Amino acid sequence: MDVEKVRRQLVAPVRIFIVRSVTFVALLAACSGGESPRSDTPTGGTLVISVGGDPETLLPPIATTTTAQIIGDLVYDRLAEIGDSLNTVGDSGFHPRLAEAWEWAADSLSVTFRMNPRARWHDGVPVRSSDVVFTYRLYSDSLNGSPYAVALADVDSVTAPDSLTATIWFRERSPMQFYDAVNTMSILPAHVLGNVRGPALRSSPLSRAPIGSGRFRFVKWSAAQSIELAADTANYRRRPNLDRVIITIAPDMNTALARLAGGEADMLEQIPAASVANIAKDTSMRVLLTNGLDYNFIQFNLSDPGFPSRAHRLFGDRELRRALTLALDRASIVQNAYDSLADVAIGPTVRAYPTTDPSLRQLAFSRDAAIRTLDSLGWKDSNNDGVRERNGVRLEFSLSVPTSSKARVAMAELIQEQFRRVGAKVNIDALDIPAFVDLQNRRRFDAVIGGWHVEPSPGGVRQTWGSRGAQTSGSNYGSYRNSAFDAQVDSALAANTLEERRSHFSRAYQIIIDDAPAIWLAEPKRVMAVHKRIRTVGLRPDAWWANIAEWSIPASERIARDRIATGR
Amino acid sequence: MAAFFVRRVLQGIVVVALVATIVFLLIHAAPGDPFAAAMEDPSITESVRQTWRHAYGLDRPIGEQYLRYVANVFRGDLGFSISRQRPVVSALADALPNTLLLMTLGLIGGFALGISVAVVQVRHRGKALDRILGGVSLAFFAVPDFWLALLVLVSLTSWLHFPIGGAVDPVMYDFLTPWGRFVDRVRHLFLPALTLSLLYFPIIARHQRASLMEVLPSEYITTARAKGVDERTLIRHHAMRNALLPVITILGVAFPALLTGAVFIEKVFSWPGMGFLIVSSIQGRDYPLLTAAVILGAVFVVVGSLLADALYRLLDPRLRDER
């Protein structure tokens, strides 16, 4: 099983970040060794991936869907690519891409990238440093509304001293400056986009027919049907092993599963728990399990939904929140909703981060302890209706949940029952996604079952659980504020060593676990089904598709569609 | 007659304008906005969302947005789809032909099967075959569309190896001969069109049977029977012409379905048509796309009812002089 391999990757030690200046020669030796041509791996074959929906656009700076991200990462290259360890501190583990080497300035306020002179756009034009300058402008231009511009806030400018040298200048030093700048930008062709900006960017030809420099090139997009990519056989990093990657759209999960079973698709990126057993029985398929970057939780609104300046009638009380946390048997809830395809979440983080200590102290399930605490807080069921009261206020609240997530809806029902047993009444409010998000954004809820998909960097916790995110425009919808937590997160993000980071994050996570502004529920794994003839390598938790160019199909196992000579 | 149609066209324009206004206001009043899904991503800040809202004019008062929309529609600009990042016209132009093709075949199949079943039932009225076919019609009438679609998908794709969804084979299509491409298209079209036909035929069969049973006791039928016309000719050539009139009304009602499609059928068979486009634009609060699709639907309703009226007048001379 590939799970063990992934786990090994996740716990691999990450090198300590040291601000340094190195010579080009030394770096060339260290960085350019990347991917040398492998003559032993057979080339050819077609990989058909089934996804749930069309991307909205294929222009990386404004694309937000996973499908767009998959295609963007296959068609476009970055200057360098994050390693499998997902280290985001310094440049440790980063692989050269369009930049064949890079050099830090002595003060660490700039990094100079040496472009690979062999890199070409798919239309044959050489990739040059002016493309890097252009890309930075495009991402950071507020008129373009790129959601990723915020990650470039620390970048002061990008310059091109010559056609093969690009320098990124930073406003201040930070451990993640390299990751923020490099991981954010997929380098775009200046000669194709020209001076297009603002709303016109969305209707530019590149939005639907990308021209990149990655190992796959775009072939065609049949709306709501499929998107086809083909091997860039003359790519500067060697042609990919596969000839073609076809992404087919199947909005209905039953159809997607039927396509997989019928051999029309080779891969489904996320299969429902109920279908895992059936797929596992299929001798032509493999089920792959990897740690994901998602976690979900019950988020309490600590502010009154009607009067945000006031504390919530129930959840303003830390001890009540802790009592409710004790009342939930999270292990059984997660087991019921996900079977073995999720772990119990341990806090506002995921196990895939090297900065996460999975042994954080939890508020362990104890119904008796919950009942004792509620009693001691004065919550009593004086009228024997099964619901506790205190000073005329009933222990009753709404729990909003998005209907798009069957697992969350299932968990809501189990939670309702478990809270009932300690005298708390939960009214489930199932909403479609736009209505659910609107409710969160306006802070008009008692409690929600929320979920976050996090990036490789753990820094997002500042926005989702920190005081800064508690502002009206932030993503800390429950309005949790704790300056000690904020300070530990800030220290973690400023730390230059993994040990130091991990230590500060652990303290921050412990503070928030003890404060219980949320009950951490599940950390779902990514469950994929892949045809056995496909040899997968390097399934990264943040982007399983990152190494598709290295996937292969042995010649002896190829089927009809693998043998098509595309001639493109 | 001409005055009647002019009046109906004018009424139609008012209906379309009203529908457009109502749907515009309703979709804007629904909770959430087109960027709601993006709010699930903590990296997308409020300032970015504001930039997006500004780019699409969603930060303007609703009245101004409406007036701008109306002005643009009169200029032939239906707007820019937010969820698909392309002009609405272009998104509709991709989906509409697929839906028209599928629904036309579904309707033709449904009408042909329904009328045939009704004729057989009437010829064997009161006998076992009549009751069996009536029961079969009722069973298909009662089956939910998504359930029937899944049943057809699972059974026929595994037994008869029909392709599972989509309009063409995305892997092989470009490498097929012209004849191979035609066959591929037909194979992909067969299951969704069959499912639609099976869903439509009970309605037609039941109406057609009732209508034929109503016509058969007529004096002109009795006269024809007395002249020795055989039962088959009697039903096909004498009774059918009058008995078709009520079914034509159903055709008028079914015509708008040509546009809106069958949502579940399109979803189950991954058919890239209008039904799924409309549903996803509601879920994604894609205001311009949804409003344009509904306007188009309203136009189809108006045109459908006009066509039904015209056909009625063509087949029933008594109506031609009606004002």
Side-chain angles (χ1 to χ4, degrees), chain A residues 545-556:
Chain A
W545 56 87
N547 295 306
I548 280 183
E550 297 302 322
W551 294 13
S552 63
I553 302 172
S556 58

PDB file of all heavy atoms in Angstrom, chain A residues 545-556:
ATOM      1  N   TRP A 545      -1.364  15.165  -7.796  1.00  0.00           N
ATOM      2  CA  TRP A 545      -1.072  15.193  -9.227  1.00  0.00           C
ATOM      3  C   TRP A 545       0.336  15.738  -9.533  1.00  0.00           C
ATOM      4  O   TRP A 545       0.758  15.739 -10.686  1.00  0.00           O
ATOM      5  CB  TRP A 545      -2.095  16.089  -9.933  1.00  0.00           C
ATOM      6  CG  TRP A 545      -2.139  17.474  -9.361  1.00  0.00           C
ATOM      7  CD1 TRP A 545      -1.369  18.534  -9.708  1.00  0.00           C
ATOM      8  CD2 TRP A 545      -2.989  17.961  -8.304  1.00  0.00           C
ATOM      9  NE1 TRP A 545      -1.665  19.637  -8.941  1.00  0.00           N
ATOM     10  CE2 TRP A 545      -2.664  19.305  -8.072  1.00  0.00           C
ATOM     11  CE3 TRP A 545      -3.991  17.382  -7.534  1.00  0.00           C
ATOM     12  CZ2 TRP A 545      -3.309  20.082  -7.112  1.00  0.00           C
ATOM     13  CZ3 TRP A 545      -4.638  18.168  -6.573  1.00  0.00           C
ATOM     14  CH2 TRP A 545      -4.294  19.490  -6.378  1.00  0.00           C
ATOM     15  N   ALA A 546       1.040  16.180  -8.502  1.00  0.00           N
ATOM     16  CA  ALA A 546       2.286  16.916  -8.722  1.00  0.00           C
ATOM     17  C   ALA A 546       3.298  16.123  -9.544  1.00  0.00           C
ATOM     18  O   ALA A 546       4.096  16.696 -10.282  1.00  0.00           O
ATOM     19  CB  ALA A 546       2.896  17.327  -7.382  1.00  0.00           C
ATOM     20  N   ASN A 547       3.278  14.803  -9.403  1.00  0.00           N
ATOM     21  CA  ASN A 547       4.290  13.996 -10.102  1.00  0.00           C
ATOM     22  C   ASN A 547       3.713  13.123 -11.211  1.00  0.00           C
ATOM     23  O   ASN A 547       4.286  12.086 -11.549  1.00  0.00           O
ATOM     24  CB  ASN A 547       5.036  13.125  -9.074  1.00  0.00           C
ATOM     25  CG  ASN A 547       5.836  13.983  -8.105  1.00  0.00           C
ATOM     26  OD1 ASN A 547       6.643  14.806  -8.531  1.00  0.00           O
ATOM     27  ND2 ASN A 547       5.579  13.823  -6.822  1.00  0.00           N
ATOM     28  N   ILE A 548       2.585  13.517 -11.773  1.00  0.00           N
ATOM     29  CA  ILE A 548       1.952  12.708 -12.829  1.00  0.00           C
ATOM     30  C   ILE A 548       2.915  12.478 -13.994  1.00  0.00           C
ATOM     31  O   ILE A 548       2.887  11.421 -14.636  1.00  0.00           O
ATOM     32  CB  ILE A 548       0.640  13.370 -13.318  1.00  0.00           C
ATOM     33  CG1 ILE A 548      -0.493  13.065 -12.326  1.00  0.00           C
ATOM     34  CG2 ILE A 548       0.230  12.851 -14.701  1.00  0.00           C
ATOM     35  CD1 ILE A 548      -1.846  13.590 -12.729  1.00  0.00           C
ATOM     36  N   ALA A 549       3.772  13.458 -14.246  1.00  0.00           N
ATOM     37  CA  ALA A 549       4.720  13.295 -15.358  1.00  0.00           C
ATOM     38  C   ALA A 549       5.632  12.086 -15.155  1.00  0.00           C
ATOM     39  O   ALA A 549       6.194  11.558 -16.115  1.00  0.00           O
ATOM     40  CB  ALA A 549       5.551  14.565 -15.518  1.00  0.00           C
ATOM     41  N   GLU A 550       5.765  11.639 -13.914  1.00  0.00           N
ATOM     42  CA  GLU A 550       6.597  10.476 -13.624  1.00  0.00           C
ATOM     43  C   GLU A 550       5.798   9.174 -13.579  1.00  0.00           C
ATOM     44  O   GLU A 550       6.366   8.107 -13.423  1.00  0.00           O
ATOM     45  CB  GLU A 550       7.322  10.674 -12.281  1.00  0.00           C
ATOM     46  CG  GLU A 550       8.296  11.835 -12.253  1.00  0.00           C
ATOM     47  CD  GLU A 550       9.377  11.701 -13.313  1.00  0.00           C
ATOM     48  OE1 GLU A 550       9.842  10.583 -13.558  1.00  0.00           O
ATOM     49  OE2 GLU A 550       9.732  12.727 -13.933  1.00  0.00           O
ATOM     50  N   TRP A 551       4.477   9.282 -13.656  1.00  0.00           N
ATOM     51  CA  TRP A 551       3.672   8.065 -13.642  1.00  0.00           C
ATOM     52  C   TRP A 551       3.877   7.341 -14.981  1.00  0.00           C
ATOM     53  O   TRP A 551       4.198   7.971 -15.993  1.00  0.00           O
ATOM     54  CB  TRP A 551       2.181   8.389 -13.469  1.00  0.00           C
ATOM     55  CG  TRP A 551       1.835   9.000 -12.143  1.00  0.00           C
ATOM     56  CD1 TRP A 551       2.707   9.507 -11.230  1.00  0.00           C
ATOM     57  CD2 TRP A 551       0.533   9.200 -11.604  1.00  0.00           C
ATOM     58  NE1 TRP A 551       2.023  10.014 -10.145  1.00  0.00           N
ATOM     59  CE2 TRP A 551       0.691   9.841 -10.345  1.00  0.00           C
ATOM     60  CE3 TRP A 551      -0.756   8.927 -12.028  1.00  0.00           C
ATOM     61  CZ2 TRP A 551      -0.396  10.184  -9.555  1.00  0.00           C
ATOM     62  CZ3 TRP A 551      -1.829   9.271 -11.241  1.00  0.00           C
ATOM     63  CH2 TRP A 551      -1.656   9.889 -10.000  1.00  0.00           C
ATOM     64  N   SER A 552       3.650   6.043 -14.960  1.00  0.00           N
ATOM     65  CA  SER A 552       3.890   5.299 -16.203  1.00  0.00           C
ATOM     66  C   SER A 552       2.951   4.107 -16.314  1.00  0.00           C
ATOM     67  O   SER A 552       2.268   3.738 -15.350  1.00  0.00           O
ATOM     68  CB  SER A 552       5.339   4.829 -16.254  1.00  0.00           C
ATOM     69  OG  SER A 552       5.573   3.940 -15.177  1.00  0.00           O
ATOM     70  N   ILE A 553       2.931   3.534 -17.504  1.00  0.00           N
ATOM     71  CA  ILE A 553       2.146   2.320 -17.763  1.00  0.00           C
ATOM     72  C   ILE A 553       3.079   1.321 -18.462  1.00  0.00           C
ATOM     73  O   ILE A 553       3.559   1.603 -19.569  1.00  0.00           O
ATOM     74  CB  ILE A 553       0.934   2.626 -18.667  1.00  0.00           C
ATOM     75  CG1 ILE A 553       0.042   3.696 -18.022  1.00  0.00           C
ATOM     76  CG2 ILE A 553       0.136   1.350 -18.942  1.00  0.00           C
ATOM     77  CD1 ILE A 553      -1.064   4.197 -18.909  1.00  0.00           C
ATOM     78  N   PRO A 554       3.368   0.182 -17.839  1.00  0.00           N
ATOM     79  CA  PRO A 554       4.256  -0.798 -18.490  1.00  0.00           C
ATOM     80  C   PRO A 554       3.688  -1.224 -19.844  1.00  0.00           C
ATOM     81  O   PRO A 554       2.475  -1.408 -19.987  1.00  0.00           O
ATOM     82  CB  PRO A 554       4.257  -1.971 -17.508  1.00  0.00           C
ATOM     83  CG  PRO A 554       3.842  -1.396 -16.205  1.00  0.00           C
ATOM     84  CD  PRO A 554       2.923  -0.266 -16.515  1.00  0.00           C
ATOM     85  N   ALA A 555       4.576  -1.398 -20.794  1.00  0.00           N
ATOM     86  CA  ALA A 555       4.150  -1.719 -22.167  1.00  0.00           C
ATOM     87  C   ALA A 555       3.283  -2.977 -22.208  1.00  0.00           C
ATOM     88  O   ALA A 555       2.322  -3.060 -22.976  1.00  0.00           O
ATOM     89  CB  ALA A 555       5.380  -1.889 -23.049  1.00  0.00           C
ATOM     90  N   SER A 556       3.603  -3.938 -21.345  1.00  0.00           N
ATOM     91  CA  SER A 556       2.871  -5.209 -21.387  1.00  0.00           C
ATOM     92  C   SER A 556       1.443  -5.094 -20.856  1.00  0.00           C
ATOM     93  O   SER A 556       0.634  -5.982 -21.055  1.00  0.00           O
ATOM     94  CB  SER A 556       3.630  -6.248 -20.562  1.00  0.00           C
ATOM     95  OG  SER A 556       3.767  -5.770 -19.230  1.00  0.00           O
TER      96      SER A 556
END
